[in-house]
Amino acid sequence: MIASPCKDCSDRVVGCHSSCAKYKQYRSELDEFKAKRAADKDERAFASEVKGAVKRLRDHKRGSDRRRRR
């Protein structure tokens, strides 16, 4: 994770985020990081759903094959 420039900042005052260039850069990088992480999470969730669907179909097919053999 990206470290905040606010910690131990000698110029820090109430409301300084709106005028601080370091904070604006930090916030921009943080927003990009969060967006990438959310996209990765969506991709992993989709892959998990697909794997689950394939497993259910495979198990269902195997179950129906076993019934026919009896």
Side-chain angles (χ1 to χ4, degrees):
M1 188 97 165
I2 306 164
S4 172
C6 300
K7 184 175 181 185
D8 300 327
C9 179
S10 60
D11 298 329
R12 189 171 181 187
V13 294
V14 174
C16 64
H17 287 168
S18 62
S19 62
C20 180
K22 289 179 187 177
Y23 180 79
K24 288 178 183 178
Q25 177 65 31
Y26 160 75
R27 190 66 214 188
S28 173
E29 291 174 9
L30 184 62
D31 289 343
E32 288 175 22
F33 174 79
K34 286 183 176 184
K36 185 178 184 297
R37 187 172 61 177
D40 290 346
K41 183 178 178 182
D42 289 342
E43 289 174 13
R44 286 191 308 271
F46 176 74
S48 179
E49 287 177 24
V50 169
K51 287 179 183 178
V54 168
K55 183 180 183 310
R56 284 189 299 277
L57 289 171
R58 184 185 63 224
D59 291 347
H60 177 71
K61 184 175 181 180
R62 286 182 180 169
S64 62
D65 288 346
R66 289 182 189 149
R67 286 186 213 122
R68 289 182 197 160
R69 291 181 188 165
R70 290 183 183 180

